[in-house]
Amino acid sequence: NAGVTQTPKFQVLKTGQSMTLQCAQDMNHNSMYWYRQDPGMGLRLIYYSASEGTTDKGEVPNGYNVSRLNKREFSLRLESAAPSQTSVYFCASRSLRGADTQYFGPGTRLTVL
Amino acid sequence: AQSVTQPDIHITVSEGASLELRCNYSYGATPYLFWYVQSPGQGLQLLLKYFSGDTLVQGIKGFEAEFKRSQSSFNLRKPSVHWSDAAEYFCAVGSTSGTYKYIFGTGTRLKVLA
């Protein structure tokens, strides 16, 4: 049981390049989330998917798109990377049943030059 | 609007000393409340959570937190800090309906002196 996995762990992009961050969970959770973490700002929600087939914007969605590919996978895409998107990105998942707890992946450290 | 405030950006304590990290929230009803810990280069690990019932909540690694409705606070405590507790700590508020989104505080970085 791997929990929440994210790939890649590190990535360097040039301004204008695109990339997709991958996230998968094996806990059969319904809800999945993408956050970014910046110094002094805590974690801010980019997008979330309350259940398979639905996605919604969070606090800072501009410059990002998401795809809930199936129940396990939730990807985050940067179409045209900007230096302001340099950050650490975390994926999380949550079950609808029982304890309302989000479980986090190890993060992807992205640098945009 | 929902918000979470962690007023202390950095805290330094000596090993063996007691610890209290502050968290204040703004929410229309009684929210779900969480404390997470993040070690350097790692993801977030849940320490404890409050949903309802007993306002003193026990968590992992010897941590506890007390929900005080009148003060809109959910402070994290540990009676005796260990060097391995050095990390960043995040308080979070969770929605009790609908989207189940979290709002995180900006974090408190704990340094432990030997």
Side-chain angles (χ1 to χ4, degrees):
Chain A
N1 195 338
V4 180
T5 57
Q6 293 182 235
T7 55
K9 286 185 167 39
F10 301 94
Q11 184 71 51
V12 179
L13 293 177
K14 295 181 180 177
T15 297
Q17 289 185 317
S18 62
M19 79 161 294
T20 300
L21 281 64
Q22 305 287 351
C23 174
Q25 52 91 10
D26 62 2
M27 296 176 282
N28 200 34
H29 286 172
N30 292 294
S31 302
M32 298 184 74
Y33 306 80
W34 276 106
Y35 294 88
R36 60 178 289 173
Q37 183 181 30
D38 302 292
M41 303 191 75
L43 279 80
R44 293 181 293 168
L45 183 64
I46 304 171
Y47 270 93
Y48 67 100
S49 172
S51 61
E52 188 178 355
T54 68
T55 60
D56 286 285
K57 295 178 180 178
E59 183 184 354
V60 288
N62 291 346
Y64 306 95
N65 285 301
V66 290
S67 295
R68 183 74 183 267
L69 305 170
N70 47 55
K71 192 171 185 179
R72 289 187 64 248
E73 298 172 289
F74 188 38
S75 63
L76 179 71
R77 183 161 178 84
L78 287 71
E79 291 291 351
S80 178
S84 60
Q85 294 178 303
T86 293
S87 188
V88 181
Y89 291 85
F90 288 100
C91 178
S93 71
R94 174 194 169 276
S95 174
L96 280 179
R97 293 189 300 164
D100 176 35
T101 301
Q102 292 191 15
Y103 297 88
F104 285 81
T108 294
R109 186 173 295 276
L110 175 66
T111 301
V112 182
L113 303 175
Chain B
Q2 299 175 37
S3 66
V4 178
T5 301
Q6 293 182 248
D8 303 306
I9 299 173
H10 294 98
I11 282 185
T12 300
V13 299
S14 298
E15 192 170 19
S18 63
L19 172 70
E20 183 169 33
L21 302 182
R22 295 183 291 166
C23 173
N24 293 95
Y25 67 89
S26 174
Y27 191 76
T30 299
Y32 297 146
L33 295 161
F34 307 84
W35 276 100
Y36 283 84
V37 60
Q38 184 182 32
S39 298
Q42 303 296 313
L44 277 73
Q45 180 184 20
L46 180 69
L47 282 176
L48 48 76
K49 59 194 175 191
Y50 172 80
F51 290 166
S52 64
D54 193 348
T55 56
L56 185 62
V57 180
Q58 302 297 321
I60 62 171
K61 306 185 180 188
F63 285 92
E64 66 178 24
E66 186 171 13
F67 169 59
K68 292 186 177 180
R69 185 192 309 274
S70 61
Q71 299 177 20
S72 297
S73 69
F74 189 57
N75 293 349
L76 182 71
R77 301 194 295 247
K78 187 170 185 179
S80 178
V81 171
H82 189 263
W83 64 266
S84 61
D85 293 323
E88 190 155 21
Y89 292 80
F90 292 94
C91 181
V93 166
S95 170
T96 55
S97 63
T99 61
Y100 308 103
K101 294 188 292 185
Y102 282 19
I103 302 294
F104 282 85
T106 52
T108 297
R109 186 169 297 278
L110 175 65
K111 182 177 180 180
V112 180
L113 301 177

